[in-house]
């Protein structure tokens, strides 16, 4: 296997275990570990560049808007890194990292798909299920039922506040934050749907079993994180998926029946072991929460507030990053921003890149979503179904939400998009080949 492939695999492994290393193994090297995975990914990109041009996407993609929009987004971020409103070059570097660090996955993903056989991919997914998903699910269940003073909850305890859900600590597994853990779980939810649907469509028992394991493990742990937003995004995206599936109601009903069966087994068969306790705790938290209306309003008004504060040109990449103030000596309350810091992620993107930059980013995300939809509709083989479902649901769920400020979310978003672009390119080559084969026959009949 080529070096760049190993480095891409190591990158995603570090994305998943980085928090555990920073919390439990090498807490004194937290800053180094934070940038290590980025160095690994770019090392893989440079290794790939020594073998093939790193700036060229597959030929079918060159006829789309993806290269133009991607180039436009990169150019805008690069220019915004030198915005005179920025308080320093360190903040510029922080902005470049946040926006561009994981874009190499759009190049490496298609190359990886082109060189991977379906059997190898299915074998890899089995390894991911048994070596990553199931062990981390068991760790999350263990953490959920441990007191805040337990060793596994030390990072939550050291934060000074104990985030709880229904009297239990909100689980973060091997991740540093709840938001990072839910990004991983969201990806797994869509991946499990893709594997399960691929098994149902091709009547492959191994994929049905794998999909059931992934689905069950994910939906046991997802509510234990105590976040309502990811649950809404997952259920909403899966609902849209069932509507747009080309195979129609037949496969939609089979998927719903299989998902309901897995859920029933978990709740009824393993309820005595506490595996269904997360949903009870989340329901209790949702009933007591009084900020639901405020959260929904913030999502709707975020773009308007961002346009008002960021204007057309913005204040520079990194200017609204949550860690920017740590790198500016003597600065308090983000004094370089109008009205200071803001929590709404969409508004922060608009403040950094301005209205024009935000529109280019949204156009890129919309174009990727459209190609993901085409990938899903054209899917015939199991791997195509798995990648198509995962990418479509993830890109749809993240369309209105930035993936810049969450490292795990960004890695899985751009990684899924890269894999999807690879599958779409292969489908496009196959479609053009079939069309060219039909044309001579038409001429003969004419």
């Amino acid at each position: 296997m080529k070096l760049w492939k190993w480095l891409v695999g190591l990158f995603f492994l570090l994305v998943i275990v980085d928090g555990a290393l920073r919390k439990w193994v090498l807490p004194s090297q937290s800053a180094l570990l934070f940038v290590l995975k980025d160095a690994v990914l770019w090392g893989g990109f440079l290794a790939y560049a020594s073998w093939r041009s790193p700036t060229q996407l597959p030929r079918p993609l060159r006829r789309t808007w993806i290269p133009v929009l991607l180039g436009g987004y990169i150019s805008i971020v690069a220019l915004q890194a030198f915005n005179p409103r920025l308080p320093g070059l360190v903040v510029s570097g922080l902005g470049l990292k946040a926006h561009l660090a994981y874009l190499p996955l759009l190049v490496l993903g298609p190359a990886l798909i082109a060189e991977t056989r379906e059997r190898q991919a299915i074998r890899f997914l089995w390894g991911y299920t048994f070596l990553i998903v199931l062990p981390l699910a068991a760790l999350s269940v263990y953490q959920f039922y441990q007191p805040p003073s337990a060793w596994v909850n030390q990072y939550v305890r050291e934060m000074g506040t104990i985030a709880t859900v229904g009297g239990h600590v909100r689980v973060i597994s091997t991740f540093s934050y709840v938001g990072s853990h839910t990004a991983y779980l969201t990806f797994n939810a869509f991946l499990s749907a893709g594997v399960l649907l691929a098994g149902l469509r091709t009547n492959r028992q191994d994929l049905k079993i794998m999909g059931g394991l992934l689905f069950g493990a994910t939906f046991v742990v997802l509510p234990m994180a105590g976040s309502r937003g990811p649950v809404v995004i997952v259920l909403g995206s899966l609902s849209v998926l069932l509507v747009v599936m080309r195979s129609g109601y037949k496969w939609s009903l089979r998927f719903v029946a299989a998902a309901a069966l897995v859920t029933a087994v978990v709740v009824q068969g393993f309820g005595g072991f506490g595996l269904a306790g997360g949903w009870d705790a989340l329901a209790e938290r949702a009933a007591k929460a009084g900020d639901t209306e405020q959260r929904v309003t913030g999502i709707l008004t975020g773009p308007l507030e961002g346009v008002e504060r960021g204007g057309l040109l913005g204040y520079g990449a990194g200017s609204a990053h949550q860690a920017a103030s740590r790198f500016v000596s003597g600065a308090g309350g983000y004094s370089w921003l109008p009205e200071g810091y803001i929590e709404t992620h969409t508004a922060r993107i608009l403040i950094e890149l301005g209205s024009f930059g935000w529109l280019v980013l949204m156009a890129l995300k919309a174009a990727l979503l459209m190609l993901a939809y085409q990938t899903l509709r054209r899917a015939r083989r199991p791997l195509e179904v798995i990648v198509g479902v995962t990418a479509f649901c993830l890109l749809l769920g993240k369309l209105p939400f930035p993936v810049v400020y969450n490292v795990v979310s960004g890695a899985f978003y751009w990684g899924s998009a890269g894999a999807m672009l690879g599958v779409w390119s292969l489908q496009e080559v196959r479609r053009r080949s079939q069309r060219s084969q039909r044309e001579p026959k038409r001429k003969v009949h004419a």
Side-chain angles (χ1 to χ4, degrees):
M1 184 183 291
K2 296 182 176 68
L3 174 62
W4 68 269
K5 295 182 181 180
W6 283 105
L7 291 175
V8 171
L10 178 59
F11 163 74
F12 279 107
L13 180 62
L14 287 173
V15 167
I16 294 173
V17 304
D18 168 73
L21 296 175
R22 295 166 64 189
K23 288 185 295 185
W24 301 323
V25 181
L26 295 169
S28 62
Q29 302 298 322
S30 179
L32 176 62
L33 292 170
F34 180 70
V35 299
L36 177 61
K37 54 185 173 296
D38 301 341
V40 169
L41 177 61
W42 280 88
F45 185 64
L46 293 176
Y48 174 83
S50 66
W51 170 64
R52 184 177 294 177
S53 173
T55 59
Q56 289 187 352
L57 293 170
R59 190 178 301 275
L61 286 170
R62 300 175 201 171
R63 304 184 184 97
T64 69
W65 281 95
I66 297 298
V68 175
L69 294 172
L70 180 60
Y73 175 55
I74 294 173
S75 300
I76 289 172
V77 173
L79 288 174
Q80 286 289 3
F82 297 96
N83 192 312
R85 294 175 170 179
L86 285 169
L89 291 178
V90 177
V91 176
S92 299
L94 189 65
L96 289 172
K97 176 189 180 303
H99 285 273
L100 306 182
Y102 303 137
L103 292 189
L105 292 170
L106 293 180
V107 175
L108 299 178
L112 194 60
I113 289 293
E115 296 197 6
T116 302
R117 287 183 249 177
E118 187 167 89
R119 182 178 300 179
Q120 293 175 315
I122 300 301
R123 192 182 305 131
F124 170 81
L125 287 176
W126 274 113
Y128 176 71
T129 300
F130 281 105
L131 299 179
I132 302 293
V133 176
L134 295 182
L136 293 194
L139 174 64
S140 297
V141 173
Y142 172 76
Q143 183 181 16
F144 186 70
Y145 289 102
Q146 293 301 303
S149 58
W151 69 272
V152 75
N153 293 325
Q154 65 176 355
Y155 190 79
V156 177
R157 187 172 67 254
E158 290 168 0
M159 288 293 290
T161 58
I162 302 171
T164 61
V165 50
H168 299 275
V169 172
R170 298 173 66 181
V171 299
I172 56 176
S173 186
T174 57
F175 298 90
S176 299
Y177 308 100
V178 171
S180 300
H181 189 205
T182 55
Y184 158 79
L185 292 172
T186 301
F187 168 79
N188 282 346
F190 298 143
L191 176 64
S192 68
V195 174
L196 191 56
L197 277 169
L200 292 170
R201 291 188 63 174
T202 59
N203 199 27
R204 285 186 53 169
Q205 198 67 23
D206 60 332
L207 294 180
K208 294 178 185 178
I209 295 173
M210 188 199 307
L213 290 172
L214 286 168
F215 191 91
T218 300
F219 280 85
V220 163
V221 176
L222 183 58
M224 293 180 176
S227 296
R228 293 157 288 169
V231 175
V232 174
I233 290 174
V234 168
L235 296 180
S237 298
L238 291 180
S239 299
V240 174
L241 169 70
L242 297 181
V243 173
V244 304
M245 281 179 59
R246 186 173 185 176
S247 49
Y249 292 106
K250 175 182 177 182
W251 300 112
S252 300
L253 291 174
R254 288 190 179 185
F255 171 75
V256 172
L261 178 61
V262 173
T263 304
V265 169
V266 170
V267 174
Q268 299 297 329
F270 299 98
F273 296 96
L275 298 186
W279 289 103
D280 296 332
L282 183 62
E284 179 183 339
R285 180 172 185 265
K288 295 180 179 179
D291 61 343
T292 302
E293 183 178 350
Q294 181 181 356
R295 287 173 177 263
V296 175
T297 303
I299 294 174
L300 297 176
T301 61
L304 297 177
E305 187 174 3
V307 169
E308 181 181 354
R309 294 179 59 176
L312 180 64
L313 301 179
Y315 284 77
S319 59
H321 196 282
Q322 62 267 33
S325 62
R326 303 179 188 175
F327 300 95
V328 181
S329 60
Y334 289 77
S335 57
W336 58 89
L337 292 180
E339 303 177 37
Y341 183 71
I342 185 172
E343 282 288 344
T344 308
H345 288 185
T346 303
R348 286 159 63 188
I349 291 288
L350 279 154
I351 289 173
E352 289 196 5
L353 303 184
S355 303
F356 181 71
W358 179 76
L359 288 174
V360 172
L361 175 58
M362 289 300 295
L364 173 60
K365 295 175 73 174
L368 289 171
L369 178 60
M370 179 58 66
L371 293 188
Y373 172 74
Q374 294 178 3
T375 302
L376 177 64
R377 294 294 298 267
R378 298 173 181 175
R380 298 290 181 272
R381 300 165 184 168
L383 183 59
E384 294 178 6
V385 176
I386 294 171
V387 173
V389 169
T390 305
F392 174 78
C393 290
L394 189 60
L395 270 58
L396 174 66
K398 294 296 184 181
L399 180 62
F401 305 107
V403 293
V404 172
Y405 305 110
N406 187 316
V407 171
V408 178
S409 182
F412 281 116
Y413 179 89
W414 295 114
S416 298
M420 177 275 297
L421 292 179
V423 171
W424 183 90
S425 299
L426 293 177
Q427 291 176 336
E428 188 70 8
V429 170
R430 182 178 65 201
R431 190 175 69 90
R432 292 178 179 276
S433 176
Q434 292 173 347
R435 181 187 298 174
S436 64
Q437 291 175 3
R438 287 195 298 266
E439 287 179 354
K441 294 181 181 180
R442 292 175 182 173
K443 292 179 180 179
V444 170
H445 288 299

